[in-house]
Amino acid sequence: MFRATLLPMLVMTAFALNAAPIDPPTRPTPMVRTLTLTAANSAVIAAGLNLGKEFVTSVHLFKGDETFDLTITSQSSEKITAKLPADLKPGRYGFMVLTNGDVPRFIEEPVVLILE
């Protein structure tokens, strides 16, 4: 009697383990550690980790409810150089990236840009 109930339980457990969903591999998160203005204040250099094209689609500045799209001029795994809009006014701006992948996400980076 014990064998008759044990066998179906083992079979059901084997099917359950094989049918368990497999988590997709995680993608590295882009992380900007520093922002540096170029000498002419016409571009910003964002340095950090996982900043290549396979991880970052675009970069943006924000101030309150306003968002300013930046034009990426060069990009590597550790650095992004982006042109600032000509009409950008002095102030303190946050920096964010739009990730690349199946589900793109905006990530607000822990750095600020201060224009004087």
Side-chain angles (χ1 to χ4, degrees), residues 54-75:
E54 64 273 18
F55 303 118
V56 176
T57 301
S58 61
V59 293
H60 311 269
L61 291 176
F62 65 92
K63 182 178 181 182
D65 292 337
E66 293 181 286
T67 302
F68 305 92
D69 300 334
L70 305 182
T71 304
I72 295 176
T73 56
S74 69
Q75 187 172 2

